[in-house]
Amino acid sequence: MTTVAAIAALALTRVSAKITDAVATATMTIPTQGAYDVTTGTYALILATQTGRAVFCNITAGPDMFPDYTFGPRDELLLLEGFTGVTEGAVLTIGSTDRTVRATQDLMGAGTLFYAVAR
């Protein structure tokens, strides 16, 4: 059975083969709170990383896609593929530029295909 995730992966692979600058490799760093250190009185910060692909979406439908989010002038809409989860607050690195994920949605429950607003 073909899944949305499999179709998305194949589509991005074929697009990137034909249009070399359309699909970018991306790394996402997700910070999570670790164990509490009694000595220092702080929590450890655990950074998990994932690698996937990103496509910049230059469309005007963004606000309708995220009705509870107010788009700012520096926000960018991205299609992300290959990540096993995208969370708000994660840092997305594309090329040498870091962007913080501000809003996200899992497309069709695929689990590896997301729209994300990043700044």
Side-chain angles (χ1 to χ4, degrees), residues 50-67:
Q50 297 181 37
T51 302
R53 298 184 287 184
V55 176
F56 289 90
C57 302
N58 296 322
I59 61 172
T60 58
D64 294 336
M65 295 166 55
F66 294 92

Side-chain angles (χ1 to χ4, degrees), residues 79-114:
L79 176 68
L80 303 176
E81 184 273 329
F83 297 100
T84 57
V86 179
T87 59
E88 293 176 12
V91 175
L92 194 61
T93 304
I94 302 170
S96 61
T97 304
D98 290 342
R99 296 165 175 83
T100 302
V101 175
R102 314 282 289 178
T104 184
Q105 66 175 254
D106 184 348
L107 295 176
M108 300 176 68
T112 61
L113 184 64
F114 299 86

Side-chain angles (χ1 to χ4, degrees), residues 1-86:
M1 175 180 184
T2 302
T3 64
V4 171
I7 293 168
L10 181 59
L12 265 61
T13 297
R14 289 194 174 166
V15 167
S16 66
K18 298 284 184 184
I19 309 169
T20 57
D21 62 348
V23 181
T25 299
T27 301
M28 184 172 50
T29 305
I30 305 165
T32 57
Q33 180 176 303
Y36 182 73
D37 184 333
V38 178
T39 306
T40 64
T42 61
Y43 287 92
L45 181 63
I46 300 169
L47 300 175
T49 59
Q50 297 181 37
T51 302
R53 298 184 287 184
V55 176
F56 289 90
C57 302
N58 296 322
I59 61 172
T60 58
D64 294 336
M65 295 166 55
F66 294 92
D68 295 331
Y69 182 80
T70 303
F71 274 67
R74 296 184 346 217
D75 288 337
E76 296 176 289
L77 181 63
L78 299 156
L79 176 68
L80 303 176
E81 184 273 329
F83 297 100
T84 57
V86 179

